[in-house]
Amino acid sequence: MSHTLILSLFLHFIKSVFMLKLPYSFLNVVIFNYFCYHLKKQLLLMGAKILVTGGLGFIGSHTVVELQQKGYDVVIIDNLSNSTLDVLDGITKITGIRPEFHQIDLRDKPKVIQFFKSHPDLQGVIHFAASKAVGESLEKPLLYYENNINTLVYILQQMQAHQIPNFIFSSSCTVYGEPDKLPITEDEPVKPALSPYGNTKQIGEEIIRDTTRAYPEIKAIALRYFNPIGAHPSAHIGELPNGVPQNLIPFVTQTAIGIREQLSVFGDDYPTEDGTAIRDYIHVVDLAQSHVVAMERLLQNKNKSNYEVFNIGTGRGSSVMEIIKAFEKVNKLKLNYKIVDRRPGDVTAVWADTGLAAKELGWQSKLTMEDALRDAWKWQQKLEK
């Protein structure tokens, strides 16, 4: 029996019950039709099959959880280069549903082609799979161009070939470089990238924009998000850096628990109040939810153009020292840290203007920096048990 037939029978049943309970009137009919319209939209979204590449990574795994909790059928591709199968168990513990998983390196074009041939019912793709460390990209630029650009092209080729219309791209505020003004709006010019990582995001956005122009049946949203931190409040999933962490918060939590002897603060001579760099730190759960909302926008054909861009952040900037002090206060401990030289490629300050996302997506961050720091520490403690 088709989903459409099941939906029609269900709505007929609801109508029968509704009309038996309430006297017939024009107002009742209007109310019922309004109810059915929105119910039908939500039911049609439920069960939509969405591919999440890099779905066992930090942001990807949290997005899988949010998708499943909204009723989506999720398929994950991940090569496990920066994650483990334990993440799949964590997702299952949270949602009660074990998502379909395929261990595929997206640089392997024949395997990508075969995957899409075997999944003709996909309705959308959320693309996270990419190398993501600014410092490492300066040392290994060719790896970043191969992993971040080639894989994107292969996925878009298969979406076009198999008529999969909806695409969400994991982009980054690094496309803005050193901004001319703060907070950063989506109209801020994209400047020459300060790192190969940032350049892959700029090139990626250009490829997607050109693709949607050439193939108007494909709709895409690029989410330029700022600095995700935290972990799921259940502590079943969180950030799993391989080797020495490239991001601030895992280094903070590993120092706090004793894995790292000392936290390095990269520079205290920036033109900021305390001399340390400022970023817009967003809880990973809030960030994950923005991807679900963006996909719903495309599935419901609410997009205003075939290619849209939104900033995803909190709209507030916090310095590295503010993060350290807040972590100490929230978790009632002291961190051992030292000031070292700046890292190449780091900008002074970035934080988002999230007004467009609030207006068009109906999304805004809800969780606080303190929530994120508490959840990150809870996750780190669980890892050590």
Side-chain angles (χ1 to χ4, degrees), residues 241-259:
N242 285 336
V244 179
Q246 298 291 325
N247 297 327
L248 174 63
I249 299 306
F251 217 121
V252 166
T253 59
Q254 288 187 12
T255 302
I257 211 158
I259 296 173

Side-chain angles (χ1 to χ4, degrees), residues 29 38 40 74 113 141 175 228 256-257 260 329-331 339 375:
V29 171
H38 288 280
K40 183 177 181 180
V74 180
I113 292 171
V175 301
I257 211 158
R260 307 288 164 192
K329 182 178 180 181
V330 166
N331 296 304
I339 307 298
D375 291 339

Side-chain angles (χ1 to χ4, degrees), residues 251-314:
F251 217 121
V252 166
T253 59
Q254 288 187 12
T255 302
I257 211 158
I259 296 173
R260 307 288 164 192
E261 180 181 349
Q262 201 169 48
L263 169 67
S264 295
V265 177
F266 295 103
D268 65 349
D269 58 348
Y270 287 97
T272 62
E273 187 170 332
D274 60 25
T276 61
I278 292 175
R279 297 292 182 267
D280 187 336
Y281 295 97
I282 178 172
H283 197 299
V284 66
V285 172
D286 278 335
L287 178 57
Q289 290 170 354
S290 74
H291 291 78
V292 180
V293 172
M295 180 57 73
E296 288 177 350
R297 178 178 177 85
L298 296 182
L299 289 168
Q300 296 175 359
N301 294 310
K302 289 184 176 180
N303 50 300
K304 293 184 177 177
S305 66
N306 270 24
Y307 176 67
E308 296 180 311
V309 172
F310 297 100
N311 286 339
I312 303 297
T314 66

Side-chain angles (χ1 to χ4, degrees), residues 1-20:
M1 187 179 293
S2 71
H3 286 127
T4 304
L5 180 56
I6 293 172
L7 180 59
S8 298
L9 291 172
F10 178 71
L11 291 176
H12 178 74
F13 170 76
I14 292 293
K15 181 176 181 179
S16 301
V17 173
F18 187 89
M19 290 308 178
L20 284 172

Side-chain angles (χ1 to χ4, degrees), residues 51-329:
L51 168 64
V52 180
T53 72
L56 296 187
F58 178 39
I59 306 168
S61 60
H62 288 80
T63 300
V64 169
V65 166
E66 297 301 318
L67 285 165
Q68 287 188 325
Q69 290 179 334
K70 281 278 192 173
Y72 290 92
D73 184 7
V74 180
V75 182
I76 296 172
I77 287 179
D78 201 298
N79 68 359
L80 302 181
S81 63
N82 199 35
S83 57
T84 71
L85 284 175
D86 291 340
V87 181
L88 200 60
D89 297 331
I91 292 170
T92 307
K93 287 177 182 176
I94 296 169
T95 67
I97 303 167
R98 192 171 188 85
E100 180 182 339
F101 170 68
H102 297 265
Q103 185 175 347
I104 297 173
D105 189 326
L106 292 170
R107 293 173 293 183
D108 189 334
K109 188 173 183 179
K111 288 187 178 179
V112 174
I113 292 171
Q114 183 55 44
F115 170 83
F116 278 91
K117 280 183 178 178
S118 64
H119 290 79
D121 54 345
L122 290 172
Q123 292 175 253
V125 176
I126 302 179
H127 182 45
F128 292 105
S131 301
K132 62 176 186 176
V134 169
E136 184 186 50
S137 76
L138 292 164
E139 299 169 0
K140 303 175 181 178
L142 295 180
L143 169 66
Y144 273 68
Y145 287 116
E146 178 190 31
N147 200 35
N148 294 8
I149 301 302
N150 291 5
T151 58
L152 172 63
V153 171
Y154 297 161
I155 289 170
L156 291 172
Q157 286 174 335
Q158 294 309 302
M159 289 182 64
Q160 191 271 327
H162 295 279
Q163 299 181 328
I164 301 167
N166 305 303
F167 185 70
I168 306 297
F169 180 57
S170 166
S171 192
S172 168
C173 64
T174 57
V175 301
Y176 297 117
E178 190 83 55
D180 294 327
K181 58 182 180 179
L182 293 166
I184 300 172
T185 70
E186 289 80 357
D187 295 327
E188 181 76 15
V190 172
K191 295 182 177 179
L194 298 176
S195 68
Y197 164 71
N199 202 29
T200 64
K201 292 303 181 182
Q202 291 183 8
I203 295 169
E205 288 194 11
E206 291 169 0
I207 290 169
I208 297 164
R209 184 178 61 244
D210 291 343
T211 299
T212 59
R213 286 173 179 168
Y215 309 107
E217 66 273 18
I218 295 178
K219 302 169 292 180
I221 292 176
L223 298 180
R224 292 174 177 168
Y225 41 80
F226 286 64
N227 292 68
I229 61 173
H232 196 273
S234 67
H236 289 313
I237 56 175
E239 192 166 4
L240 281 170
N242 285 336
V244 179
Q246 298 291 325
N247 297 327
L248 174 63
I249 299 306
F251 217 121
V252 166
T253 59
Q254 288 187 12
T255 302
I257 211 158
I259 296 173
R260 307 288 164 192
E261 180 181 349
Q262 201 169 48
L263 169 67
S264 295
V265 177
F266 295 103
D268 65 349
D269 58 348
Y270 287 97
T272 62
E273 187 170 332
D274 60 25
T276 61
I278 292 175
R279 297 292 182 267
D280 187 336
Y281 295 97
I282 178 172
H283 197 299
V284 66
V285 172
D286 278 335
L287 178 57
Q289 290 170 354
S290 74
H291 291 78
V292 180
V293 172
M295 180 57 73
E296 288 177 350
R297 178 178 177 85
L298 296 182
L299 289 168
Q300 296 175 359
N301 294 310
K302 289 184 176 180
N303 50 300
K304 293 184 177 177
S305 66
N306 270 24
Y307 176 67
E308 296 180 311
V309 172
F310 297 100
N311 286 339
I312 303 297
T314 66
R316 298 179 299 276
S318 301
S319 74
V320 173
M321 286 307 303
E322 286 175 329
I323 289 289
I324 290 172
K325 297 305 180 186
F327 182 87
E328 291 178 332
K329 182 178 180 181

Side-chain angles (χ1 to χ4, degrees), residues 353-367:
D353 182 323
T354 59
L356 187 64
K359 178 183 176 183
E360 294 294 334
L361 298 178
W363 173 92
Q364 58 184 4
S365 62
K366 299 174 183 176
L367 299 169

